[in-house]
Amino acid sequence: MSIRTRLAAGAVAAAGVLALVAAPAGDAGAATKSYPLGDCTNLSPNVVDLPYQPNRVFVSEYAGTTYLQITYSSAWMLVGYSSHARLDWKNLTTGRHGVLVDNSVVRPPNTGVHNFTVKRSTFGPGKVKLTLTTTNRNAVWAVPARSCTSTVVAP
């Protein structure tokens, strides 16, 4: 093998290694998008603290799974409370629909997150209407919250 051939082979190998090292992991086009939730101010089960208030939905996709995170705020009076969420969804493009469920707990710093996952091939693509229905519970009683909605764009 000539010196020229060896140098060319070395350059190709080095370029291949560099491409592997420099390549980003996952889908570089994937991004998390945020959508507002409308009219979601509700009474918390502790009554005297600030209201339970879901305010937005974050939508992202990775490896064939769609992730939905609904953030909410609420102050708690030393005891906190649990939040049971039901998320009804309907894809306005494909007509597919389903129900997702999550349980979370309000604790400092006074915020919580409802996390939902669904197969991308089931959920998307297109506009999807979301309806969040929540029941919040402390040691004494449960308080159902009003339903609130948002329309998101599924990847």
Side-chain angles (χ1 to χ4, degrees), residues 8 24 29 31 53 79 86 95 99 102 113-114 139 149:
Q53 188 170 15
V79 293
R86 172 187 166 126
V99 175
D102 179 69
V113 178
H114 293 299
T149 62

Side-chain angles (χ1 to χ4, degrees), residues 47-70:
V47 182
V48 297
D49 57 14
L50 295 175
Y52 164 77
Q53 188 170 15
N55 54 14
R56 61 188 156 177
V57 182
F58 293 96
V59 180
S60 59
E61 187 271 330
Y62 178 75
T65 301
T66 300
Y67 297 87
L68 300 124
Q69 296 176 315
I70 297 177

Side-chain angles (χ1 to χ4, degrees), residues 98-112:
V99 175
L100 304 169
V101 176
D102 179 69
N103 294 294
S104 61
V105 177
V106 175
R107 47 181 93 144
N110 309 326
T111 60

